Amino acid sequence: MTKTIETAFNIVETILELEKAGVAELADELNKPTSTVHDYLQGLEEIGCVVNDNGTYRVGSRFLSIGTRMRSQLEIYEMAKPELQNLAAKTGEHASLMIEENNYGVVLYTATGERAVQVDIHDGDISRLHTTAPGKAILANFSSERAEAIIDHYELTPRTPHTITEKSEIFEELDDIREQGYAIDREELFEGMQGVGRPIVVGDNVIGAISVYGPTGRMDESKITEKVSDMVLETVNVIEVSLKY
Amino acid sequence: MTKTIETAFNIVETILELEKAGVAELADELNKPTSTVHDYLQGLEEIGCVVNDNGTYRVGSRFLSIGTRMRSQLEIYEMAKPELQNLAAKTGEHASLMIEENNYGVVLYTATGERAVQVDIHDGDISRLHTTAPGKAILANFSSERAEAIIDHYELTPRTPHTITEKSEIFEELDDIREQGYAIDREELFEGMQGVGRPIVVGDNVIGAISVYGPTGRMDESKITEKVSDMVLETVNVIEVSLKY
DNA sequence: AGAACTGTCCGGATAATCCGGACAATTAAG
DNA sequence: CTTAATTGTCCGGATTATCCGGACAGTTCT
């Protein structure tokens, strides 16, 4: 159903992968006739979804526009943004806000500290919840039925050599996280990067999670438990209070 | 052509206007049968474009994902981003990067200073080039034929009481801007806000423009000509050098 | 308990997608 | 410099996905 929309997005994603592309190149990549691809591109151009620089197309700014307007409508984003900038400044690393959407974790916003390493991660990126520190913090605070339902949706393929691939192991860790209040990512998402995450809880609902990530050298486990974890907690507390008014 | 894609985006934009909405509400707003709207929503949900919270829909994070990935592929964004943060910190106001796309100005990124007033503007927002300081800076550095072609696409309806509505007046101002190197927005986009913009030029091409906006009280014309304009120039110079390697 | 809403599902008429083919323009090769 | 190959664009009609009326069950008001 709605096959048209799906192929439209496929075309956009393909352009994104190639950075820019012509009709023939895209048609080849998508195994579709050039005439069909051309029809789509023309339609997509009319509504600002792609931009045509004499023959080669790139993705247009319409997506950015819709995406940022959507984000600004989320109260949690507006409350968290300035606090994340504080947190990034204090730690010098990456500070992010994650929410759950459709069984996956979505990074809504990342503030970048002075010393933060350059990683190729963007606002809007999605990941399986058990593969990140903030994702695990969210999972740990869902009901066990809901957490299990989510995990069952996933294929537990590893992302890095350190990614957990055993369901039982995940649940063991979730227990620990619930107890100590924060989750640690030990190079499970990116090799060489460690992070700590804490849930944002208002009433009985987990609204999202805050995390700080940095290179393993600067973010070893003792530093997390001694300092960074507390800074994240402070940030979370401020956000939780803002959300309650 | 590609009517399906167009209505899909209409639905998304309508949800955005209503923040969240149900099938019936949307069907009513769009003058379409509920069954049709339902079909679309189901398709859009499957690909992460909308999210269904038991009956009411909101826009999903897929747009944010595509938008930010697109943005990161633009060299000018990557070069300008840290400089804009500097500029925002130094001035305390809003510092933005604008590019031209499809005859309109697109704000790719805005850094927010400490004292910056809260305005409802987002990354990805588009505007007619002659209604903003950076837009005028871009226009002034296009060839006069290209500038005229762009202006002719517009309806010169005012946005605020100060918006220029006479074609001849626009071109007079573009001459001044080319001479003095920067453009000023005198409450033409937002009442109570003034701004200054400068073009980013590499070789013979205008790649974009940098601007600083603030409340008229703090951004009067003498302050712009004496101080802010120079800060913007510094920023532009750094970016231009980065782009040339 | 009834009425008026909802969101969801089905199936077929309708109309848009989809694509083969032809064309000119540009680029690559000979 | 000529030829061949490849490109983006356009057309028109067969195909098939869209589109919508109608029916249904679940909620929320009256």
Side-chain angles (χ1 to χ4, degrees), chain A residues 35-206:
Chain A
S35 49
T36 301
V37 174
H38 184 262
D39 285 348
Y40 272 93
L41 286 171
Q42 205 155 290
L44 287 168
E45 185 182 8
E46 269 173 27
I47 57 173
C49 287
V50 303
V51 180
N52 185 343
D53 282 338
N54 48 41
T56 104
Y57 293 84
R58 67 165 184 84
V59 178
S61 61
R62 180 110 190 244
F63 295 97
L64 186 66
S65 171
I66 294 175
T68 57
R69 277 184 287 157
M70 172 285 284
R71 184 169 64 173
S72 292
Q73 291 180 349
L74 299 178
E75 196 184 7
I76 192 172
Y77 166 73
E78 291 293 339
M79 298 292 116
K81 184 180 176 187
E83 301 309 323
L84 284 170
Q85 287 167 345
N86 279 344
L87 186 58
K90 267 197 286 187
T91 60
E93 311 284 1
H94 287 289
S96 301
L97 167 66
M98 174 177 284
I99 62 167
E100 180 267 345
E101 184 180 299
N102 228 38
N103 293 326
Y104 286 85
V106 178
V107 176
L108 271 189
Y109 179 70
T110 296
T112 307
E114 286 286 335
R115 307 179 303 173
V117 295
Q118 195 69 21
V119 292
D120 196 32
I121 190 162
H122 307 110
D123 294 344
D125 281 355
I126 75 168
S127 53
R128 290 167 295 168
L129 287 165
H130 71 287
T131 62
T132 68
K136 288 192 276 191
I138 291 174
L139 267 184
N141 287 271
F142 278 164
S143 69
S144 56
E145 303 86 49
R146 186 166 177 196
E148 185 153 9
I150 290 176
I151 301 287
D152 287 343
H153 276 306
Y154 299 154
E155 299 193 22
L156 298 180
T157 52
R159 235 204 87 109
T160 73
H162 304 90
T163 306
I164 308 175
T165 55
E166 285 295 329
K167 195 171 156 185
S168 59
E169 209 178 325
I170 296 174
F171 280 99
E172 269 177 47
E173 193 179 352
L174 293 187
D175 287 338
D176 295 342
I177 292 165
R178 214 173 300 116
E179 202 173 309
Q180 69 194 3
Y182 59 85
I184 295 183
D185 173 347
R186 302 177 183 80
E187 306 199 357
E188 292 155 57
L189 184 67
F190 294 111
E191 289 194 73
M193 297 280 284
Q194 295 209 141
V196 55
R198 278 185 184 270
I200 302 170
V201 181
V202 174
D204 284 338
N205 297 95
V206 199

Side-chain angles (χ1 to χ4, degrees), chain B residues 122-197:
Chain B
H122 306 110
D123 294 346
D125 281 354
I126 75 168
S127 53
R128 291 168 295 169
L129 287 165
H130 72 286
T131 62
T132 69
K136 289 193 277 192
I138 291 173
L139 266 184
N141 287 271
F142 279 164
S143 70
S144 54
E145 304 86 49
R146 187 167 176 195
E148 186 153 8
I150 289 175
I151 302 286
D152 288 342
H153 275 306
Y154 298 156
E155 298 191 24
L156 297 180
T157 52
R159 235 202 87 108
T160 74
H162 303 91
T163 306
I164 307 174
T165 57
E166 284 295 329
K167 194 171 158 182
S168 59
E169 208 178 325
I170 296 175
F171 280 99
E172 270 177 46
E173 194 180 351
L174 293 186
D175 287 338
D176 295 343
I177 292 165
R178 215 172 300 114
E179 203 172 308
Q180 68 194 3
Y182 59 86
I184 295 182
D185 173 347
R186 301 175 184 83
E187 307 199 357
E188 293 154 58
L189 185 66
F190 294 111
E191 290 195 74
M193 297 282 284
Q194 295 209 140
V196 56

Side-chain angles (χ1 to χ4, degrees), chain B residues 3-4 7 32-33 35-36 39-40:
Chain B
K3 203 180 74 136
T4 303
T7 56
K32 290 200 181 299
S35 49
T36 301
D39 285 348
Y40 272 93

